[in-house]
Amino acid sequence: MPSFVINEKCDGCKAQDRTACQYICPNDLMVLDRETNKAFNRAVDMCWECYSCVKICPTQAIEIRGYADFMPLGGVVQPLRSSDSIMWAVRFRNKVVKRFKFPIRTKPEGSIDPDAGFTTGTEDLKSPVLRTEPDSL
Ligand code: SF4
Ligand code: SF4
């Protein structure tokens, strides 16, 4: 289910150079229309459905909608983040709304040691080739 921007809620991240959704999208799909100051997903069929943009949007302006072929008539999913939890609101097409709340990590941003004191013992992760290369080329 790809992401869609709700125009009425999007404030263009207050006209900053780069919006939060542009910053976070790993597939470079979010675009800001400078005339309307609204963002949009320029290729929903290319969306990885990672929901990073949905979760980072400061105004909850992005929701997840199903493709019309298997989810007609509009059900949507939308998160609401707080400092210690994330609440997912699922709105069914018959207007029933269900909410699911999950705890999120509480460590301060940037405080996690990625290696956690362990070494990999190899430089493979820094190699530009894939595992089977060059033999598979
Ligand atoms: S992060 Fe949200 S408010 Fe900011 S530009 Fe994207 S959709 Fe709009
Ligand atoms: S769900 Fe992920 S891939 Fe899709 S537009 Fe948002 S950030 Fe990009």
Side-chain angles (χ1 to χ4, degrees):
M1 300 204 300
S3 64
F4 288 82
V5 175
I6 307 166
N7 268 353
E8 295 75 20
K9 289 187 176 178
C10 174
D11 66 359
C13 282
K14 306 196 186 318
Q16 294 178 34
D17 282 349
R18 205 164 171 218
T19 67
C21 54
Q22 285 178 306
Y23 162 76
I24 204 76
C25 178
N27 209 16
D28 199 20
L29 296 180
M30 301 306 287
V31 181
L32 180 67
D33 182 331
R34 290 279 172 197
E35 288 198 1
T36 61
N37 211 29
K38 307 288 180 188
F40 61 94
N41 183 338
R42 63 175 150 187
V44 289
D45 55 335
M46 299 293 288
C47 179
W48 297 357
E49 305 172 12
C50 70
Y51 304 158
S52 299
C53 61
V54 189
K55 288 184 266 190
I56 202 173
C57 176
T59 62
Q60 279 82 51
I62 307 180
E63 65 185 15
I64 301 156
R65 298 182 193 166
Y67 291 105
D69 52 353
F70 72 90
M71 199 172 166
L73 304 178
V76 300
V77 181
Q78 198 173 34
L80 178 62
R81 287 186 313 155
S82 71
S83 58
D84 63 355
S85 65
I86 185 164
M87 168 108 70
W88 289 91
V90 183
R91 197 167 71 243
F92 293 82
R93 62 184 184 181
N94 63 0
K95 308 295 183 206
V96 169
V97 178
K98 295 198 173 187
R99 293 188 170 85
F100 303 90
K101 189 175 182 182
F102 301 95
I104 59 176
R105 73 176 194 192
T106 52
K107 288 185 178 297
E109 197 175 322
S111 69
I112 291 178
D113 172 9
D115 297 330
F118 294 97
T119 56
T120 60
T122 171
E123 292 296 301
D124 281 1
L125 288 176
K126 295 179 183 163
S127 169
V129 299
L130 298 177
R131 186 177 66 84
T132 58
E133 293 177 357
D135 297 343
S136 58
L137 294 177

